[in-house]
Every structure is written in C-alpha cells, then in structure tokens.
C-alpha cells in the first residue's frame, strides 16, 4: 500500500511544462489507490471514458460567475453535506432532507447578509476519503482502512479495493444529481411553500423568540413580494444548487475530464473569428466544484498538477501546515491568470489556532497580485475533531462556533471578506456533534451516531449556525 501522508514541499520553477489530463501521472502522489487486479481497473476506467458527462460546462461557468461575485463581496457561499457520502445515501428521503436544509439555511443567510447565496452541496460524488493510515484496528485486528465507497466497503470483509466501485460511483453520482435536478424543477425550492422550521428544540426562551422573529420576518417578506407581484418572474420558485467533492482519486477524475466547448469563450470567439478549437477547455465533468485536501496539496505533487489544468472553480484546504510561501505557490500554480473567483481558500485551523494563523495567510494573499481575487471560506469543522474517553469521534458546537466567530472577526480586522462557510452536515436527526440549542452531550452520542467517517452537524445544529451567522451580519454580533 502506498504511503498516505507526507509533508508539503514548495518548488520553484521558471517554466511550466505542458498539461494534459494524465500529466499528473509523472508526479509523486499521496493517498494513492493500489489495486490487485489492474486489468479490472482498466476495464472500469475505459467504461468511465465512454459515459456522458455528469455536469455541463454551462453549469460550471454559471458557478464560476457566481463565485466571482462572492470574491468581490457581492454574494455569500454556503457549502455543506456529508463527510463521506455513501452509496446508500442515494435515496429519496436522504437527498431531499439535505436539499431542504441547505435551502432553509440559505434563506436565513440571505435575510441576514442581504446578499445572494451561492449553494454548493457536498453531494453526488463525495465518495472518497483521505486517511492518515492505510490500516486501522477493528476489534483488535489490523485491517485496511475504509477509504470511501468508491474504493472499498465499510464492513471488514469488504475492505479490499474493488475496481467495480469506480463505475458504481459514477452512476450513484448521476442518479443523485438527477433527483436533485428533478426535485428543484418540481418546485421543492419554491420559497412560497410552507417551511417546517421546527424551532421547538431551542431551549433558551430568549433565543427561541429571536429565531421565531427571524422566521416571521422572512415569511412576511415573501408574502409581501407575492402581494405586490414582485415574484412573477419565477426567481422564487427555483434555485441553483451545485455539486462538489474532494478530487482525491485522480484516475477517476481524469476519465471524466473532457475537452469541451467553453460557453463564455464561444461568445467572444464568434465576434473575433477565432477557431472552434480555441473556444474549448478541459472540464472535470464529475462535479461543478472540486477541492484539493490538506493531505494532498503538495506543490510538486500529482493532485496540484491535475488541478492546475481544469477549468472548474476549485477549492484548496488551508491549515496549520500551510506556509505563506506555499500558499502563494499554490495560487500561482493553480491560477496563473489571476482569474477572480477561480480559487476558494478553505481555511481549517481549529478554534485554538485560528487567531495565530489566519492573519498571516490573509496578509500574504492580500499583499500579492491575488488580492481580492480569492474566495475566503471558513471550514470550522475539520480542525475541531476530537475523541471522547470511549474513543468516539465528535465535535463541540462551541468549538465550531468559536472558529467561525474568530474567522469573521479577523477578516473584519484585516479588511478582507469572509465569503462563505464549508460545513459537514446532514438533514437527519443524528447525534454526532455535542452542544447546540438541543443540548446534546457525550452521553447522547450513542442515540443516533451514523457517520462512517467524521461527525456531522444535525439539521437543528446546522440551522442554528445559519441563524447565528445571519445575526452577525445584522449587527447582532453578541449572539455570535
């Protein structure tokens, strides 16, 4: 089994070698998948190459335009979903609950920030997970680690890497996105439909009154718009919901990378008379948005090499091990043309470290040619994972809130704009993170702990976080 982790290293180069969808294979790689049956792998990869794109360049370019607005401070980005999506989550109720939660959260954020909200789901493809070790102990026996449904199964007897799962991941992604599109087209996002806010879990009477007032204000605003006919254009009946996942398994991503007509370039080319080939770009058609993780962002590594060539907007996880020089090297490698909104910097430090690390990273970017070109996004989840005395992984709502609070304050101090949040959440009533208004404690974790990887906010905790962010932007920072 290949080594899963390694230090980040910077390299300087005066020339940039040509890029192809497969040029990453010439670079050292972390989190690699080593299969026993290479013939079966090639069969699955060949199948993927023949299958149609899951998303289209038009959709991807639409997201890029929205993220430009986020980078310029004109919109806010809400990104959320499961830590590790399972094939079993490709089911009507599971998908619908996450859609509804993201819609409710975005509605609260629109009310709070008075800005459009860009919605990206960690869904329809988040099937691969990086692991710190290739093996783990299960009932005292060393066994290969579960690395996501695209690679192997969670049950001990299913831990061998299975090439057939590559094709299965494609079809589960396509089916999930198909249901998302169908649900939105059928009116699930119509803001006139009654919304079940379910605020009964809020134990503090003052806080419950505050949240209820927000809901009433939103409802009254929608009712007024309908009364005066301001919603006749149909904008309140539908929304854009984009998909995302960590681009971890490069063999899979390569096969879904296609040279396709760029809709924005094509408009220009018709006026300038350039050839059709000049209007094409390489798109990763497995998702609208992909990110590179904290474990795989080596400047000279395979993942950065792959990511530098795709036209999609991309995210980069930035953490305690990211040096200022590496940060600038990443931006210059991934976005040499300084395209506004192309790169989302997803900061994830931990509540106790954000104050000492984030200001330097902000100064590094804002003092360079990339000032005001990136989307700053806070991931308050990954730096705040801990284990209970009995070995259960959890996160405290207070830690998540604290990192978000510090991040908002620091961006304000530095004169930059925190453009969004990146959350691991589910629309189900799980008990995986402690705290929040329903008062979950460690003894409650066993009630409904269903994550096969990291702990997620449940629907009540996630919605409460949206209320708190909205309160911040409404000037009620004491609540945050």
């Amino acid at each position: 089994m290949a080594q899963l982790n390694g230090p980040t290293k910077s390299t300087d180069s005066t020339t940039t070698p040509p890029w192809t969808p497969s040029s990453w294979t010439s670079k050292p790689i972390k989190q690699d998948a080593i299969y026993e049956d290479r013939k079966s792998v090639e069969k699955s990869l060949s199948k993927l190459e023949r299958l149609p794109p899951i998303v289209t360049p038009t959709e991807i370019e639409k997201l890029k335009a929205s993220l430009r607005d986020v980078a310029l401070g004109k919109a806010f980005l809400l990104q959320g979903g499961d830590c590790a999506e399972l094939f079993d989550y490709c089911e009507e109720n599971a998908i619908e609950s996450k859609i509804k939660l993201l819609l409710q959260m975005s509605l609260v954020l629109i009310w709070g920030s008075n800005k459009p909200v860009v919605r990206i789901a960690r869904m329809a493809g988040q099937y691969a997970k990086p692991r710190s070790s290739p093996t783990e102990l299960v009932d005292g026996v060393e066994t290969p680690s579960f690395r996501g449904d695209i690679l192997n199964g969670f049950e001990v007897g299913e831990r061998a890497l299975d090439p057939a799962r590559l094709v299965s991941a494609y079809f589960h992604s396509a089916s999930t996105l198909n249901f998302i599109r169908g649900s939105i087209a059928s009116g699930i996002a119509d803001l006139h439909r009654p919304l079940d806010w379910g605020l009964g879990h809020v134990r503090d009477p003052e806080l419950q009154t505050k949240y209820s007032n927000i809901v009433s204000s939103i409802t009254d605003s929608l009712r007024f718009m309908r009364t005066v006919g301001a919603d006749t254009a149909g904008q309140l009946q539908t929304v854009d919901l984009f998909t995302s996942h960590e681009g971890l398994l490069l063999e899979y991503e390569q096969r879904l990378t296609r040279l396709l007509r760029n809709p924005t370039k094509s408009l220009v080319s018709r006026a300038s008379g350039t050839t059709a080939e000049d209007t094409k770009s390489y798109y990763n058609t497995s998702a609208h948005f992909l990110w590179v993780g904290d474990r795989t962002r080596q400047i000279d590594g395979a993942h950065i090499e792959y990511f530098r060539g795709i036209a999609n907007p991309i995210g980069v996880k930035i953490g305690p091990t990211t040096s200022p020089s590496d940060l600038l090297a990443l931006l210059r490698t991934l976005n040499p043309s300084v395209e506004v909104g192309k790169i989302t910097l997803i900061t994830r430090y931990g509540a106790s470290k954000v104050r000492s690390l984030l200001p330097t990273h902000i100064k590094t970017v804002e003092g360079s040619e990339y000032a005001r070109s990136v989307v700053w996004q806070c991931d308050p989840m990954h730096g705040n994972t801990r284990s209970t005395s009995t070995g259960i992984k959890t996160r405290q709502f207070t830690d998540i809130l604290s990192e978000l609070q510090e991040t908002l304050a620091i961006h304000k101090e530095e004169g930059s704009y925190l453009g969004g949040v990146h959350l691991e959440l589910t629309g189900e009533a799980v008990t995986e993170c402690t705290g929040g208004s329903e008062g979950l404690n460690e003894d409650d974790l066993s009630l409904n702990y269903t994550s096969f990887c990291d702990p997620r906010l449940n629907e009540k905790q996630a919605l409460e976080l949206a209320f708190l962010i909205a309160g911040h932007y409404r000037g009620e920072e004491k609540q945050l």
Side-chain angles (χ1 to χ4, degrees):
M1 179 69 69
Q3 180 185 1
L4 293 187
N5 284 311
T8 301
K9 182 174 68 173
S10 295
T11 57
D12 293 322
S13 177
T14 55
T15 60
T16 302
W19 184 91
T20 67
S22 63
S23 59
W24 64 267
T25 58
S26 66
K27 302 286 186 177
I29 187 169
K30 302 297 180 184
Q31 301 288 324
D32 197 12
I34 308 298
Y35 295 89
E36 293 183 3
D37 184 357
R38 192 64 205 175
K39 185 177 180 180
S40 294
V41 175
E42 294 300 331
K43 182 179 180 180
S44 290
L45 295 177
S46 295
K47 174 70 172 177
L48 289 172
E49 286 183 327
R50 298 192 301 273
L51 289 169
I54 297 175
V55 302
T56 68
T58 299
E59 294 169 338
I60 293 169
E61 291 297 331
K62 188 173 186 179
L63 174 59
K64 289 177 75 172
S66 296
L67 290 175
R68 280 195 288 274
D69 287 341
V70 176
L72 296 172
K74 299 177 181 178
F76 191 83
L77 171 60
L78 171 64
Q79 187 171 6
D82 292 296
C83 168
E85 192 179 9
L86 301 182
F87 292 163
D88 284 347
Y89 296 169
C90 185
E91 178 267 325
E92 178 180 356
N93 293 329
I95 299 170
E96 192 172 271
S97 67
K98 282 186 277 262
I99 296 174
K100 288 180 176 178
L101 176 58
L102 289 172
L103 290 173
Q104 281 184 301
M105 294 177 70
S106 63
L107 193 56
V108 173
L109 292 171
I110 291 169
W111 176 88
S113 65
N114 200 30
K115 294 177 180 178
V117 169
V118 181
R119 306 163 187 87
I120 303 180
R122 286 174 59 113
M123 201 157 53
Q126 179 56 10
Y127 297 123
K129 288 299 296 180
R131 301 309 298 263
S132 57
S133 172
T135 62
E136 61 183 344
L137 291 178
V138 179
D139 297 328
V141 179
E142 187 174 17
T143 188
S145 296
F146 173 58
R147 300 177 62 186
D149 266 355
I150 194 172
L151 288 170
N152 58 359
F154 182 77
E155 299 299 326
V156 173
E158 300 176 344
R159 292 297 177 89
L161 301 191
D162 180 1
R165 288 175 173 269
L166 294 166
V167 177
S168 187
Y170 170 94
F171 284 110
H172 281 90
S173 297
S175 295
T176 299
L177 184 53
N178 179 65
F179 183 77
I180 292 173
R181 286 173 170 148
S183 297
I184 291 174
S186 299
I188 192 175
D190 186 350
L191 298 185
H192 298 116
R193 296 176 62 175
L195 294 173
D196 179 12
W197 294 96
L199 298 175
H201 69 283
V202 181
R203 297 180 179 180
D204 184 316
E206 183 179 349
L207 200 57
Q208 186 176 65
T209 299
K210 171 182 166 59
Y211 292 170
S212 296
N213 288 341
I214 293 174
V215 172
S216 296
S217 177
I218 293 170
T219 305
D220 290 344
S221 296
L222 293 173
R223 187 181 298 115
F224 174 77
M225 292 179 71
R226 166 160 282 185
T227 301
V228 300
D231 60 352
T232 54
Q235 290 93 335
L236 299 183
Q237 281 74 46
T238 187
V239 298
D240 291 318
L241 181 61
F242 301 99
T243 62
S244 67
H245 63 259
E246 180 176 354
L248 188 64
L249 194 56
L250 295 183
E251 284 191 315
Y252 177 85
E253 306 299 346
Q254 176 190 330
R255 267 57 180 198
L256 289 170
T257 301
R258 312 286 169 80
L259 184 62
L260 299 171
R261 185 177 65 86
N262 184 316
T264 23
K265 286 184 179 179
S266 296
L267 292 174
V268 177
S269 70
R270 284 197 288 269
S272 62
T274 55
T275 64
E277 191 66 26
D278 292 334
T279 70
K280 291 185 177 181
S281 301
Y282 278 103
Y283 290 93
N284 182 307
T285 64
S286 69
H288 303 105
F289 179 98
L290 295 99
W291 73 88
V292 60
D294 196 51
R295 292 185 175 100
T296 54
R297 53 172 166 72
Q298 295 81 13
I299 300 298
D300 58 354
H303 287 81
I304 294 302
E305 171 61 22
Y306 170 77
F307 271 77
R308 78 176 176 90
I310 59 175
N312 306 59
I314 55 181
V316 183
K317 288 292 187 82
I318 301 298
T321 61
T322 311
S323 68
S325 59
D326 275 353
L327 180 52
L328 282 181
L330 285 165
L331 290 173
R332 288 165 178 160
T333 300
L334 296 172
N335 188 20
S337 62
V338 197
E339 183 182 354
V340 177
K342 166 74 174 178
I343 304 296
T344 296
L345 296 178
I346 310 167
T347 61
R348 34 93 71 223
Y349 306 102
S352 64
K353 297 178 180 178
V354 61
R355 173 59 63 175
S356 62
L357 295 170
L358 178 57
T360 299
H361 285 157
I362 293 175
K363 288 182 174 71
T364 297
V365 175
E366 297 303 318
S368 73
E369 67 271 30
Y370 290 92
R372 300 297 188 272
S373 74
V374 305
V375 173
W376 288 100
Q377 187 184 38
C378 175
D379 169 5
M381 307 293 292
H382 283 87
N384 294 305
T385 307
R386 64 180 186 84
S387 294
T388 67
S389 58
T390 56
I392 300 175
K393 291 172 69 175
T394 188
R395 290 159 174 158
Q396 292 181 325
F397 189 85
T398 52
D399 290 337
I400 295 167
L401 192 57
S402 176
E403 178 158 358
L404 182 55
Q405 178 184 33
E406 285 286 356
T407 302
L408 282 162
I410 291 167
H411 276 286
K412 185 175 182 180
E413 293 164 9
E414 298 295 334
S416 52
Y417 173 62
L418 178 63
V421 291
H422 188 122
L423 306 170
E424 290 187 339
L425 54 80
T426 177
E428 308 297 328
V430 300
T431 53
E432 297 170 2
C433 295
T434 59
S437 290
E438 57 185 333
L440 293 179
N441 56 46
E442 290 187 7
D443 292 335
D444 297 319
L445 295 177
S446 61
L447 295 176
N448 192 27
Y449 195 108
T450 63
S451 175
F452 289 89
C453 193
D454 290 338
R456 303 160 293 177
L457 296 169
N458 63 32
E459 83 286 11
K460 295 173 182 176
Q461 293 166 327
L463 188 56
E464 181 175 359
L465 201 61
F467 277 122
L468 291 166
I469 297 170
H472 167 85
Y473 285 110
R474 283 274 176 160
E476 301 168 11
E477 298 182 46
K478 62 179 180 297
Q479 292 290 353
L480 191 63

